[in-house]
């Protein structure tokens, strides 16, 4: 049986997961980051501070082709983990993780051994390592999604790993089967490396924010369906039930989520986001936020543009302020027992 269309732990489509799966990232988009009452979302403080080297520029229009290709490459790798790792709550078993070279699956069980697949965005290689000492790799260079697919599965076969996935991409309009996609074939190593550097910096800040919470919290993890990094807190209470096997698991309990996304139609660049699910009344008007933040009324989500953050005096401090204030406002309004959940 093929793998299900996994939805990450944030509201890619509050009303209908399937709707997002056919409208979104590559073309006309109806997801929560694309719609804004004032039109296209842009950064505000264009010339306030010089950028920090750990927070490089990532202009959407200059790397979109690489972005689209990497999105599909990570789906192939993510589906391998999804098919073999035991199911965890809220679909946490399908995510990738930021590490010192790029993105990794972490160890994946396979019979009596484990293996790991890593995107190395320093040396620009896809690397396979197994617990019995086998190492394999191939270069990350401009190549089609189909070529990447077949090269990866040939490498797995050479390591004695017989793996199969559902080749249909998730969360994209007009999906092209991953084993036949010759359309997306770009790879710019400079922008792949910039993406990873942003993920490293963001991962560090999100982990700092996560450390102050002693209740149930997700890892800081990267979801290949929507191509974003996020971390989610839970208060332990069950949420109103949702229909569908995906959303019923993803939103089974009340949560507060923080994330970073590279941007897309309607959001002209990377952005940090925060939301509560379910959202308490008055949430959108409650927090005091850093400059450049906005609330998306239609999608019930706060947004802080990355370009505002990278030019700030202290990017990490701005992200933590955004994270803490959006969480605290929502938790207070929703009646979370913060004294029991926080350090």
């Amino acid at each position: 049986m093929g793998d299900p269309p996994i939805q990450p732990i944030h509201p890619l489509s509050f009303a209908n997961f399937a709707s997002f799966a056919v409208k979104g990232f590559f073309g006309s988009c109806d997801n929560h980051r694309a719609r804004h009452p004032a039109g296209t979302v842009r950064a505000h403080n264009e010339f306030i501070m010089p950028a920090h080297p750990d927070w490089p520029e990532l202009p959407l229009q200059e790397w979109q082709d690489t972005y689209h290709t990497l999105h599909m490459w990570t789906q192939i790798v993510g589906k391998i983990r999804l098919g073999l790792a035991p199911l965890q709550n809220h679909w946490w078993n399908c995510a990738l993780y930021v590490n010192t070279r790029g993105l990794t699956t972490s160890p994946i069980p396979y019979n009596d051994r484990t293996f790991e697949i890593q995107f190395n965005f320093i040396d620009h290689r896809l690397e396979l390592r197994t617990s019995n000492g086998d190492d394999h790799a191939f270069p990350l260079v401009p190549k089609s999604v189909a070529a990447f697919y077949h090269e990866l599965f040939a490498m797995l076969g050479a390591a004695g790993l017989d793996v199969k996935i559902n080749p249909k991409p998730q969360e994209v309009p007009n999906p092209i089967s991953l084993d036949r996609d010759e359309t997306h074939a770009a790879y710019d190593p400079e922008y792949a490396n910039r993406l990873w550097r942003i993920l490293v910096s963001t991962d560090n800040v999100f982990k700092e924010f996560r450390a102050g919470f002693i209740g149930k919290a997700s890892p800081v993890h990267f979801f290949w369906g929507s191509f974003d990094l996020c971390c989610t807190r839970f208060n332990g209470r069950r949420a109103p039930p949702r229909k569908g096997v995906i959303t019923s698991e993803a939103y089974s309990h009340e949560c507060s989520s923080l994330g970073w996304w590279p941007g897309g139609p309607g959001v002209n660049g990377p952005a940090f986001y925060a939301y509560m699910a379910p959202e308490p009344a008055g949430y959108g008007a409650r927090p005091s936020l850093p400059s450049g933040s906005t609330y998306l009324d239609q999608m019930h989500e706060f947004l802080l543009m990355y370009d505002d953050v990278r030019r700030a005096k202290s990017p990490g401090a701005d992200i933590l302020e955004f994270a803490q204030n959006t969480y605290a406002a929502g938790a207070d309004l929703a009646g979370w027992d913060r004294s029991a959940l926080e350090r």
Side-chain angles (χ1 to χ4, degrees), residues 236-247:
R237 297 195 301 246
R238 283 203 167 268
R242 297 180 182 228
K243 296 180 180 179
V245 65
I246 306 303
T247 53

Side-chain angles (χ1 to χ4, degrees), residues 249-307:
E249 175 62 36
Y251 297 109
S252 61
H253 291 73
E254 295 183 15
C255 64
S256 171
S257 196
L258 170 72
W260 178 90
W261 180 61
V267 180
N268 279 355
F272 296 91
Y273 65 84
Y275 73 89
M276 300 284 296
E279 180 182 294
Y283 178 54
R286 184 69 178 267
S288 173
L289 298 172
S291 174
S293 305
T294 187
Y295 179 73
L296 307 182
D297 292 287
Q298 292 177 314
M299 302 315 298
H300 307 282
E301 179 170 331
F302 287 97
L303 207 67
L304 173 62
M305 297 306 292
Y306 170 73
D307 279 346

Side-chain angles (χ1 to χ4, degrees), residues 12-13 16-35 60 64 67-68 71-72 75 170-175 184 225-227 261 263-267 299:
L12 291 173
S13 172
N16 190 328
F17 172 77
S19 173
F20 182 85
V22 296
K23 302 175 185 175
F25 180 72
F26 290 92
S28 62
C29 182
D30 192 33
N31 68 56
H32 69 302
R33 298 184 182 91
R35 296 190 297 179
L60 182 61
Q64 282 191 96
Y67 178 6
H68 296 170
H71 189 190
M72 296 299 97
Q75 291 217 5
Q170 308 301 328
E171 305 185 36
V172 296
N174 305 313
H184 304 106
S226 52
F227 208 81
W261 180 61
V267 180
M299 302 315 298

Side-chain angles (χ1 to χ4, degrees), residues 9-324:
I9 312 303
H10 56 78
L12 291 173
S13 172
F14 272 101
N16 190 328
F17 172 77
S19 173
F20 182 85
V22 296
K23 302 175 185 175
F25 180 72
F26 290 92
S28 62
C29 182
D30 192 33
N31 68 56
H32 69 302
R33 298 184 182 91
R35 296 190 297 179
H36 188 271
T40 299
V41 180
R42 301 177 185 272
H44 294 267
N45 52 334
E46 294 293 339
F47 303 103
I48 291 180
M49 290 288 293
H52 300 261
D54 292 337
W55 301 95
E57 187 178 12
L58 195 68
L60 182 61
Q61 68 278 10
E62 293 185 19
W63 82 294
Q64 282 191 96
D65 291 343
T66 293
Y67 178 6
H68 296 170
T69 302
L70 274 177
H71 189 190
M72 296 299 97
W73 289 0
T74 60
Q75 291 217 5
I76 296 167
V77 171
K79 283 170 174 278
I80 292 169
R81 183 180 185 221
L82 172 63
L84 294 174
L87 175 65
Q88 295 180 2
N89 44 229
H90 316 293
W91 302 110
W92 292 352
N93 58 299
C94 76
L96 305 178
Y97 305 96
V98 178
N99 69 6
T100 55
R101 289 294 183 270
L103 289 168
T104 179
T105 58
S106 75
I108 299 171
Y110 185 87
N111 296 333
D112 59 349
R113 55 183 169 146
T114 62
F115 69 95
E116 178 179 10
I117 303 172
Q118 173 178 265
F119 287 91
N120 183 330
F121 293 131
I122 295 178
D123 301 316
H124 302 287
R125 310 192 312 165
L126 189 81
E127 299 168 342
L128 169 66
R129 295 185 175 91
T130 70
S131 57
N132 59 349
D134 289 339
D135 289 331
H136 302 262
F138 62 78
L140 296 177
V141 295
K143 68 181 73 177
S144 70
V145 172
F148 179 95
Y149 180 102
H150 292 296
E151 195 167 1
L152 172 53
F153 279 90
M155 185 168 70
L156 290 168
L161 302 167
D162 182 16
V163 181
K164 294 180 175 59
I165 65 169
N166 178 351
K168 182 180 179 181
Q170 308 301 328
E171 305 185 36
V172 296
N174 305 313
I176 306 169
S177 183
L178 295 164
D179 58 347
R180 299 195 301 270
D181 182 356
E182 300 289 347
T183 299
H184 304 106
Y187 185 78
D188 186 325
E190 169 63 25
Y191 283 108
N193 181 265
R194 290 189 195 186
L195 168 69
W196 165 71
R197 286 159 56 199
I198 295 168
L199 291 175
V200 168
S201 297
T202 301
D203 185 71
N204 287 336
V205 176
F206 282 11
K207 285 175 178 173
E208 182 178 350
F209 177 65
R210 184 182 185 274
F213 193 77
I214 60 175
K216 173 182 168 182
S218 77
V220 180
H221 45 194
F222 183 89
F223 279 104
W224 42 266
S226 52
F227 208 81
D228 62 349
L229 188 74
C230 65
C231 182
T232 304
R233 295 177 169 187
F234 298 83
N235 64 10
R237 297 195 301 246
R238 283 203 167 268
R242 297 180 182 228
K243 296 180 180 179
V245 65
I246 306 303
T247 53
S248 62
E249 175 62 36
Y251 297 109
S252 61
H253 291 73
E254 295 183 15
C255 64
S256 171
S257 196
L258 170 72
W260 178 90
W261 180 61
V267 180
N268 279 355
F272 296 91
Y273 65 84
Y275 73 89
M276 300 284 296
E279 180 182 294
Y283 178 54
R286 184 69 178 267
S288 173
L289 298 172
S291 174
S293 305
T294 187
Y295 179 73
L296 307 182
D297 292 287
Q298 292 177 314
M299 302 315 298
H300 307 282
E301 179 170 331
F302 287 97
L303 207 67
L304 173 62
M305 297 306 292
Y306 170 73
D307 279 346
D308 289 310
V309 169
R310 63 183 289 269
R311 295 188 180 100
K313 182 177 181 181
S314 176
D318 273 19
I319 298 166
L320 289 172
E321 180 185 357
F322 174 79
Q324 179 60 31

